[in-house]
């Protein structure tokens, strides 16, 4: 599987998203994904599933160096002491001595960004996280982190799929050589019933979802973390990597409406 090199880490372009997976079902899903070749697992303290993922990672007995684990600190815990407490709790639940990537999950108007990133950089210096990054950051917030503070941002994780325009953020990230990690890459299932994508899928003996995922993953500097609890869906997402899209396909995808957001920033804490 292709990997993205960023801030000293190697990030598999296809990972497993685990939002709204919990308990034994979450553990089983992660164990299944690891058994068929996934090595990038994405979680967050807010998901309340780090313990289940920790159990799955332990049961898999894979070399730690083969795994990429991302977790995130919630917007309510962005003071230095709270970040450390949240980080310690996450590490303990995951049964790991370090994570590969630690992200600010959502922006907060109350955050002192200098203090936030200083704390994250210390965790990196201590070897407890191999890299740091952000999620749901606008271009304006990215400029604060990258240009004003000089934080070594390894990625920005945002909603991105074939029916949502993220060209402005993508352009900024590309200029700074920062990957975009796409969550909701299948638009929470809406992609599956998109006629144009289904038509392209027929041409390639693939599903609409596979076409949409391949379209994302063939873009430079873009990774994706589709949520998939069933083994069949996990395998289908892996198989999307085998599709070869052509310029006609890409033109059709480019012409799709690009305003179908699944996660409404208006309901997000302190979206700027």
């Amino acid at each position: 599987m292709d990997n993205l090199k960023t801030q000293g880490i190697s990030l598999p372009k296809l990972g497993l998203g685990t939002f709204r997976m919990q308990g034994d079902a979450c553990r089983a899903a992660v164990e299944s994904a690891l058994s068929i070749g996934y090595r990038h697992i994405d979680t967050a303290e807010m998901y309340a599933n780090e313990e289940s993922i920790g159990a799955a990672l332990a049961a898999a007995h894979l070399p730690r160096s083969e795994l990429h684990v991302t977790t995130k600190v919630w917007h309510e815990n962005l003071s230095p002491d709270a970040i450390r407490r949240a980080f310690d709790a996450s590490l303990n639940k995951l049964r790991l001595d370090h994570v590969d990537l630690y992200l600010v999950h959502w922006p907060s108007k109350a955050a002192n960004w200098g203090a936030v990133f200083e704390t994250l950089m210390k965790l990196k210096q201590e070897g407890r996280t191999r890299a740091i990054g952000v999620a749901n950051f606008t271009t304006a917030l990215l400029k604060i982190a990258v240009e004003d503070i000089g934080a070594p941002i390894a990625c920005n994780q945002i909603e991105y799929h074939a029916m949502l325009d993220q060209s402005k953020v993508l352009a900024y990230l590309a200029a700074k050589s920062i990957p975009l990690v796409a969550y909701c890459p299948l638009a929470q299932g809406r992609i599956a019933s998109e006629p144009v994508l289904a038509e392209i899928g027929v041409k390639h003996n693939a599903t609409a979802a596979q076409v949409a995922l391949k379209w994302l993953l063939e873009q430079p500097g873009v990774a994706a973390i589709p949520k998939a609890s069933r083994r069949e869906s996990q395998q289908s997402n892996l198989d999307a990597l085998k599709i070869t899209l052509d310029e006609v396909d890409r033109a059709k995808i480019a012409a799709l409406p690009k305003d179908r957001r699944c996660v409404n920033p208006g309901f997000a804490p302190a979206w700027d």
Side-chain angles (χ1 to χ4, degrees):
M1 188 185 297
D2 286 349
N3 287 38
L4 298 174
K5 308 293 185 188
T6 175
Q7 295 294 342
I9 63 171
S10 186
L11 176 74
K13 286 197 76 165
L14 180 63
L16 181 74
T18 64
F19 181 42
R20 293 190 180 131
M21 288 187 196
Q22 292 182 331
D24 291 343
C26 178
R27 175 176 174 167
V30 174
E31 287 183 359
S32 166
L34 293 171
S35 74
I36 62 173
Y38 283 76
R39 293 296 179 264
H40 172 178
I41 307 296
D42 181 272
T43 182
E45 66 163 315
M46 188 273 278
Y47 300 171
N49 63 13
E50 290 169 316
E51 232 162 345
S52 302
I53 290 169
L57 295 172
H61 299 296
L62 290 165
R64 179 66 184 90
S65 59
E66 285 187 17
L67 293 169
H68 173 96
V69 180
T70 295
T71 193
K72 313 176 194 80
V73 58
W74 191 230
H75 69 99
E76 293 169 353
N77 291 327
L78 291 181
S79 67
D81 289 347
I83 290 171
R84 285 205 171 261
R85 283 194 298 273
F87 183 86
D88 290 345
S90 290
L91 215 54
N92 186 47
K93 290 173 183 174
L94 289 164
R95 307 189 198 182
L96 299 175
D97 63 1
H98 71 278
V99 291
D100 300 279
L101 190 50
Y102 195 50
L103 308 182
V104 174
H105 198 156
W106 277 106
S108 165
K109 287 194 189 302
N112 175 336
W113 291 119
V116 168
F117 288 111
E118 182 183 4
T119 306
L120 294 180
M121 286 188 274
K122 282 180 182 170
L123 289 170
K124 182 181 177 180
Q125 288 160 8
E126 292 162 10
R128 306 186 72 213
T129 181
R130 295 181 60 224
I132 64 170
V134 296
N136 302 297
F137 266 43
T138 58
T139 305
L141 285 170
L142 285 166
K143 285 179 179 175
I144 292 170
V146 175
E147 297 173 32
D148 298 351
I149 295 169
I153 300 300
C155 79
N156 185 23
Q157 186 181 117
I158 58 174
E159 179 182 347
Y160 183 38
H161 47 75
M163 299 189 294
L164 184 65
D165 177 28
Q166 290 287 18
S167 55
K168 184 182 172 188
V169 180
L170 263 172
Y172 182 83
L173 292 170
K176 301 294 181 183
S177 300
I178 299 171
L180 184 156
V181 177
Y183 71 74
C184 294
L186 303 177
Q188 294 182 340
R190 294 173 179 83
I191 291 285
S193 57
E194 214 303 314
V196 172
L197 294 171
E199 177 192 318
I200 297 169
V202 169
K203 172 178 163 183
H204 295 285
N205 194 26
T207 65
Q210 287 176 317
V211 168
L213 201 51
K214 180 58 189 258
W215 174 80
L216 275 177
L217 294 173
E218 72 175 10
Q219 295 176 44
V222 175
I225 48 169
K227 183 182 127 185
S229 52
R230 292 169 50 249
R231 190 183 187 90
E232 296 81 4
S233 301
Q234 294 170 353
Q235 186 63 54
S236 178
N237 291 342
L238 275 180
D239 291 343
L241 296 167
K242 300 172 186 173
I243 299 168
T244 303
L245 299 176
D246 59 34
E247 288 307 317
V248 174
D249 301 330
R250 293 188 195 99
K252 287 180 179 177
I253 295 170
L256 289 172
K258 293 284 189 277
D259 57 355
R260 303 186 198 174
R261 187 180 285 280
C262 298
V263 180
N264 188 341
F267 297 121
W271 182 266
D272 287 332

